[in-house]
Amino acid sequence: MKANRRTIIKLLSASGAASLFGFKALSGQAQCLTTDDILGPFYLPGAPEIAQFAPDGAPGTTTFITGTVYANDCETPVQNAKVDVWHANDGGGYEDEHYRGVVYTGDNGQYAFQTILPGKYLNGAQFRPRHFHYRVSALSSELTTQIYFEGDTSIPIDPWASSPDAAERIIPLSEGQQGSLHGVADIYLDVEPVINGQKSQGFSPKRPIIEHVIPNPMSTEGKVQVFLPEAVSASLLLYNLHGKAVKTIIQRQQMAGGRQQWSIPNENQHGLRLQPGIYIVQLQVDGRPADSKRLIVV
Ligand SMILES: [Fe+2]
């Protein structure tokens, strides 16, 4: 396992393969659409709506995946898309209760989850490369596909991962704190670009929202940008996945309407570095939750 992971990292850093493929065809009509892949025999409907798929303490390398679901114009984020993910455990086995979950994209089309790097399993005489299975749906469109990882030596001998169609679904993983891995898997879905009934360009929301949390994943410091349609008393808090507030960014500040930005230092309220993981940035207006975004800390 460890040797395999080191191999992946080494190959990742040595290769510039990702840039060769060009992950986004921004000017194309539908050139960017994410290609499909086989469903496989291990899909189970009704996976839990959770953002951590591997149980606490599960063996394997902690892995954080984030991404954006885009519409078929290749640039407009899709809100509230359902991202259903399942994968093998560290030993290459599928489990009914774990290593699967459903997350939904937020206002900016982003989703995120935490799990472990999927193990390899035999398909006949050959190991399948490590992979996540995805089913992504929004409006009337559904995509079944798989995400692979750069540098995986099983890709060339796997009939699905080695297909030219899969090239843009082989993502790099980079190493974060304490040996965790993180990757970005953007999905381009065949749905028309719509945000709240309007095109996204120049759109000013009618309710207080968190527009961006960048960079995401965050290492040393991030920024959160909010839009307030009118003057309010606003708070910004950082919660862990157990719902515990770990940092108050602003506390009941009287704010003018418009766009506002704050920095998020990588530290909790005791000044200690945040544990790597998924956090929730919550905007409160007049003491009530108004919007939230996931933030991955590496
Ligand atoms: Fe699989």
Side-chain angles (χ1 to χ4, degrees):
M1 176 64 205
K2 285 207 163 178
N4 284 334
R5 186 167 69 76
R6 274 201 299 274
T7 304
I8 290 172
I9 297 294
K10 192 173 163 190
L11 287 169
L12 280 180
S13 50
S15 89
S19 59
L20 293 177
F21 297 126
F23 282 98
K24 295 181 185 179
L26 288 173
S27 60
Q29 292 274 312
Q31 296 170 16
C32 60
L33 291 184
T34 300
T35 51
D36 60 4
D37 205 326
I38 56 167
L39 176 68
F42 301 110
Y43 174 71
L44 288 175
E49 294 181 10
I50 52 174
Q52 181 183 330
F53 302 159
D56 287 339
T61 305
T62 301
T63 300
F64 301 99
I65 300 292
T66 186
T68 303
V69 177
Y70 292 99
N72 60 13
D73 67 345
C74 311
E75 61 185 11
T76 302
V78 178
Q79 300 175 356
N80 206 33
K82 180 182 181 183
V83 182
D84 193 343
V85 179
W86 66 106
H87 67 89
N89 63 21
D90 186 52
Y94 282 86
E95 299 183 16
D96 289 352
E97 300 295 325
H98 300 298
Y99 306 100
R100 50 183 83 234
V102 170
V103 291
Y104 288 87
T105 60
D107 289 346
N108 55 5
Q110 284 192 342
Y111 72 92
F113 60 83
Q114 170 183 341
T115 187
I116 53 115
L117 188 66
K120 293 188 176 186
Y121 57 87
L122 279 171
N123 173 51
Q126 309 280 8
F127 280 100
R128 288 219 65 209
R130 302 174 193 281
H131 58 276
F132 288 116
H133 289 271
Y134 272 56
R135 266 188 130 163
V136 184
S137 53
L139 303 173
S140 59
S141 181
E142 182 176 75
L143 169 73
T144 299
T145 193
Q146 297 183 34
I147 299 294
Y148 305 99
F149 311 107
E150 272 184 34
D152 191 323
T153 52
S154 299
I155 287 176
I157 51 173
D158 184 76
W160 301 282
S162 64
S163 161
D165 278 355
E168 293 182 25
R169 291 184 277 109
I170 302 172
I171 66 167
L173 291 172
S174 53
E175 195 162 6
Q177 274 192 314
Q178 299 173 6
S180 63
L181 297 173
H182 58 93
V184 177
D186 292 336
I187 302 291
Y188 295 82
L189 200 57
D190 192 8
V191 294
E192 295 297 319
V194 173
I195 291 184
N196 290 349
Q198 301 182 37
K199 294 286 277 185
S200 62
Q201 288 286 336
F203 175 59
S204 290
K206 292 185 171 56
R207 62 183 179 84
I209 63 161
I210 299 173
E211 292 188 314
H212 307 291
V213 181
I214 52 170
N216 201 355
M218 175 185 102
S219 176
T220 52
E221 189 182 61
K223 284 189 168 48
V224 53
Q225 179 173 301
V226 307
F227 178 82
L228 304 170
E230 58 188 357
V232 291
S233 162
S235 304
L236 270 173
L237 295 109
L238 194 61
Y239 288 90
N240 64 21
L241 275 185
H242 303 293
K244 183 177 179 224
V246 296
K247 175 83 176 172
T248 301
I249 302 163
I250 60 166
Q251 177 74 21
R252 286 182 178 264
Q253 276 189 23
Q254 196 57 39
M255 308 300 308
R259 285 190 169 78
Q260 317 273 350
Q261 189 169 282
W262 291 272
S263 63
I264 312 173
N266 183 349
E267 61 177 36
N268 65 18
Q269 50 211 5
H270 307 296
L272 301 171
R273 200 173 171 91
L274 295 165
Q275 290 290 319
I278 297 177
Y279 293 83
I280 307 293
V281 181
Q282 186 182 79
L283 169 67
Q284 295 181 0
V285 167
D286 298 327
R288 286 190 296 275
D291 195 15
S292 60
K293 288 272 180 291
R294 291 189 193 91
L295 169 67
I296 295 182
V297 174
V298 294

